[in-house]
Amino acid sequence: MEMITTALQSFTRIDIWLAIIAGTMTGITIGAVPGLGPAVAMALALPFTYVFPAEVAIPFLLAIYSGSNYGGSISSVLLNIPGTAGSVATAMDGYPLARKGYPNRVLKASLYSSVFGNTVGTLVLILLIGKIAQVTLQLGPAQVFALLCFAFLLTCVLDAKSSRTKGLIAGGLGILLAVAGLDPITGTKRFDFLGLTTYGALEETAVLVGSFAFAEALKIIRDYWSEYKKGGGHMEVIALKKKLPDDNLTVKEWLSHWKLFTVTSCIGAFFGACPGLGGTIAAFTGYGYAKSTSKNPEEFGTGRIEGVIGPESANNGTFGSNMLPFLTLGIPGSPTVALLGAALMMQGISPSPTIFAQHGGTLYLIFGAMILCNPILLVVGLSAFNKIAAKIARVPVHLLVGGMIVLCCAGIYSINNTMYNVYVMVAVGILCFMLRKAKIPVSTMIITFILGRDIESVFRQTLLLGKGEAAFFFSGTASHVIWGFIFVFLIYVFVSNIVKSRQEKAPKSE
Amino acid sequence: MKKIKEPNIKDLITSVIFLCFSLVGWFYLIPYTIINPSFISATGASLGIDSRLFPRIAMLAVLAMSVCLLIHFLYTWRKYKKICPEYDLKRELTSLMREYWYNDKIVIVTAAILVLYCILINVLGFVISSILLTAGINFLMGIRNWKGLILAPVALVGIVYLLFTTLLYVDFPHGLLF
């Protein structure tokens, strides 16, 4: 009860209100820029946050996250250029429906579903985090190590967009980035070329901003150049001005799909809490659910409103719930959570099972602010800001790229006034651009980069406690259960690979 | 008729690059850049804590997966060659390289400009080198008017500079001119 009162205090603080309003507007605007998504928006804003207290900085980033998720649907629906992989599912029916003359109807469906999904995800976080933290307090280092290994495997193997082999390459690269620098126990310098270890280890923020914002800037330059040589790209932007009299979605109409958005939001909340799954898989599962429960599944892909509500609720249902494994165990389920984690750590809040004992008040203020994000997103989304954001988002590409690069460099330099972090950011940005070309999942590399340090330190802690005995890693019932899950999961991966290759080899059924 | 996928030539390049990287990492980077790795406890036992262990596991994962990727490519290529004998690996590779060069040379030039920027920032300072960087990128992107090459970079860097120095009290590197 005391914690809920603390959470409600955030509603009375003007600085938190201002941070959320500014964050939502920034998020919608950046999200509406074709190709940019929540990760880039948060990466660009991250360096600004460390001058503010945690209860203002984190809600600002969360508002950017929820705003850019919604903003992404503006570019998906009006331009058919999804900012994130999760928005692809929204564009599948949203864009055809907008082309038919119903852009406002689609955007409203997306907004209501986003707000509902966000609320469900946040409530799941608030209701479950205390219980999960209590359970994780009972876990010893051997069990935590097993859990981290499981999270590592899930992250590497379950990326929807790439092959498992490439996911594991990304995982290995993430660990290599994580261990570069001074070894915290032996004091040994690792990969000490170019004076790296002078600064301890790679700065998380520099790696995160380099991999998302900076690599994205390089991709924009490359794409623009390709289009420029071909004589300039042409984007057909659908105007938000009402064309058809019924280009609107009333709340009553939206509520008639209550079963769909409730189930898909819960799917999103569940997927968000599982490391390695996240928004993309949730959005496609939500789309699949909407299609399978529809009376007219054959019309999906031609512009069904359920094809917008399902994926949007599911994608946004991960908001909040994806922080559960991070706050209690330090396992970031998605790149955006990794960015939030970097912001929390810049504020001196390290995720651990004892996080509530140390920072309970601040955390509940943040949770209160997360609830506040939703009505503010609804108001801003329904206002004329949509149209303004859609216009701002059409900023000339050269200004956008120049702004992104200078902002990244200045922001990363300002973290501890050293050029070294800028060098790291530039190097990681170029590396991530090349990895994207090779279809190696950068988000997996970043999550394993964050996980890598914890895995190594917990592994060593376990070795010290077990006096070097390998059997200590498998001690306790919880360890047996988690290793059992890992074993079953590996069998599943193996079997599904065989089934997949057999399906590929099977003769075409004409 | 069996459904055989066309081999992905990008997988060949990726696997060879990561194979080379992991071999260099295993035989050169780890032994020569991680020196005196073992932890010895107060009782004299090492307890298996070794600074090379995790880098080795990671390098091994990259090596093993690169080999898997290469084997998968070679298997698909061999199968595909049977149903499509005119498929020429060398020709495909050349065409992909040509495509990369055609579309991605801009990124190589941008990367070179960024490296130059990192060097110049200590000589010219943040403001001047950032203006030059932004103007350079705009030039690369085909902007040829004074607004795009002078006004936009100066305004952009000016706004960022003012924002960071007045709001966040950041002291950017100064150089010969500013």
Side-chain angles (χ1 to χ4, degrees), chain A residues 5-71:
Chain A
T5 323
T6 315
L8 291 176
Q9 275 175 16
S10 63
F11 289 27
T12 61
R13 284 184 52 174
I14 189 77
D15 51 351
I16 293 180
W17 275 83
L18 288 174
I20 294 174
I21 293 169
T24 308
M25 288 180 162
T26 313
I28 293 178
T29 311
I30 299 180
V33 176
L36 303 189
V40 178
M42 286 170 74
L44 285 172
L46 189 60
F48 289 98
T49 58
Y50 78 101
V51 288
F52 300 108
E55 59 269 29
V56 176
I58 306 301
F60 176 66
L61 284 176
L62 286 166
I64 287 186
Y65 175 66
S66 63
S68 52
N69 248 345
Y70 168 64

Side-chain angles (χ1 to χ4, degrees), chain A residues 140-478:
Chain A
Q143 290 81 35
V144 174
F145 177 72
L147 264 178
L148 289 173
C149 286
F150 194 23
F152 177 83
L153 268 177
L154 286 171
T155 309
C156 293
V157 171
L158 289 185
D159 192 292
K161 290 173 286 176
S162 62
S163 74
R164 286 164 181 167
T165 322
K166 287 182 180 175
L168 283 163
I169 291 180
L173 292 176
I175 299 275
L176 285 174
L177 283 179
V179 298
L182 271 183
D183 184 323
I185 289 190
T186 63
T188 308
K189 292 175 178 180
R190 296 194 278 200
F191 306 126
D192 183 35
F193 30 82
L194 306 173
L196 171 77
T197 50
T198 318
Y199 299 94
L202 294 181
E203 172 67 42
E204 267 178 21
T205 318
V207 174
L208 290 168
V209 174
S211 56
F212 295 112
F214 208 77
E216 191 61 46
L218 290 178
K219 184 180 169 286
I220 295 172
I221 292 175
R222 187 243 177 233
D223 292 348
Y224 181 82
W225 171 251
S226 306
E227 289 299 318
Y228 174 73
K229 279 196 300 183
K230 285 176 199 162
H234 174 70
M235 288 193 296
E236 191 194 344
V237 184
I238 297 167
L240 273 177
K241 204 176 153 188
K242 277 187 193 176
K243 281 178 183 169
L244 296 170
D246 56 341
D247 179 20
N248 194 17
L249 184 82
T250 60
V251 177
K252 200 178 162 190
E253 240 180 303
W254 175 74
L255 281 174
S256 66
H257 301 283
W258 67 272
K259 198 178 161 193
L260 175 62
F261 60 71
T262 310
V263 174
T264 47
S265 297
C266 293
I267 290 173
F270 173 74
F271 278 33
C274 301
L277 297 179
T280 309
I281 299 178
F284 279 98
T285 311
Y287 186 81
Y289 177 81
K291 195 175 174 180
S292 63
T293 53
S294 169
K295 285 173 189 162
N296 307 303
E298 70 285 350
E299 286 178 15
F300 271 68
T302 60
R304 294 285 303 179
I305 200 74
E306 297 96 320
V308 176
I309 295 172
E312 276 299 304
S313 316
N315 190 13
N316 288 280
T318 59
F319 177 81
S321 70
N322 56 10
M323 287 174 75
L324 271 172
F326 183 73
L327 288 176
T328 49
L329 285 162
I331 299 171
S334 66
T336 44
V337 176
L339 285 156
L340 274 175
L344 276 169
M345 282 191 247
M346 283 200 311
Q347 301 286 345
I349 303 175
S350 295
S352 70
T354 56
I355 195 165
F356 279 98
Q358 294 162 351
H359 308 284
T362 314
L363 279 180
Y364 272 91
L365 265 178
I366 292 170
F367 296 160
M370 284 173 79
I371 298 174
L372 199 56
C373 280
N374 298 316
I376 291 177
L377 175 64
L378 188 67
V379 172
V380 176
L382 285 174
S383 70
F385 188 75
N386 258 353
K387 287 166 194 166
I388 300 167
K391 275 188 185 157
I392 297 172
R394 278 189 272 160
V395 63
V397 179
H398 65 276
L399 284 183
L400 177 75
V401 171
M404 276 173 79
I405 290 180
V406 174
L407 207 58
C408 286
C409 293
I412 290 303
Y413 175 83
S414 68
I415 292 172
N416 45 15
N417 285 1
T418 163
M419 275 306 290
Y420 191 78
N421 287 333
V422 179
Y423 303 151
V424 169
M425 181 194 68
V426 171
V428 171
I430 295 170
L431 170 75
C432 288
F433 175 82
M434 293 194 291
L435 292 180
R436 279 184 185 187
K437 293 284 300 174
K439 299 257 186 301
I440 290 179
V442 171
S443 55
T444 303
M445 187 187 83
I446 294 306
I447 295 171
T448 51
F449 163 67
I450 306 276
L451 276 178
R453 287 178 186 163
D454 281 345
I455 292 180
E456 192 184 32
S457 67
V458 175
F459 173 80
R460 287 162 163 193
Q461 223 179 330
T462 316
L463 272 180
L464 284 171
L465 281 172
K467 295 185 177 125
E469 289 292 324
F472 192 70
F473 283 96
F474 305 97
S475 59
T477 318

Side-chain angles (χ1 to χ4, degrees), chain A residues 51 165-166 169 183 186 188-190 222 224-225 229 398 403 413-414 419 423 437 440 459 464 504, chain B residues 3 11 18 33 35-36 47 51 53 65 102-104 118 121-122 138 141 143 156 168 170-171 173:
Chain A
V51 288
T165 322
K166 287 182 180 175
I169 291 180
D183 184 323
T186 63
T188 308
K189 292 175 178 180
R190 296 194 278 200
R222 187 243 177 233
Y224 181 82
W225 171 251
K229 279 196 300 183
H398 65 276
Y413 175 83
S414 68
M419 275 306 290
Y423 303 151
K437 293 284 300 174
I440 290 179
F459 173 80
L464 284 171
E504 279 174 6
Chain B
K3 195 170 80 176
D11 283 357
F18 281 106
T33 64
I35 299 159
N36 302 326
L47 300 174
S51 300
L53 181 67
M65 290 305 119
Y102 185 73
N103 286 324
D104 295 343
C118 289
I121 210 163
N122 292 318
N138 286 358
M141 292 175 82
I143 307 297
L156 211 62
L168 306 177
V170 176
D171 184 24

Side-chain angles (χ1 to χ4, degrees), chain A residues 49-123:
Chain A
T49 58
Y50 78 101
V51 288
F52 300 108
E55 59 269 29
V56 176
I58 306 301
F60 176 66
L61 284 176
L62 286 166
I64 287 186
Y65 175 66
S66 63
S68 52
N69 248 345
Y70 168 64
S73 59
I74 297 178
S75 61
S76 301
V77 168
L78 303 185
L79 294 163
N80 202 21
I81 307 175
T84 57
S87 312
V88 175
T90 309
M92 278 155 60
D93 269 85
Y95 183 65
L97 194 55
R99 276 187 71 96
K100 284 179 186 170
Y102 299 100
N104 290 295
R105 188 174 163 80
V106 181
L107 285 180
K108 278 196 175 172
S110 163
L111 179 66
Y112 297 150
S113 310
S114 299
V115 169
F116 187 81
N118 282 348
T119 312
V120 170
T122 311
L123 288 176

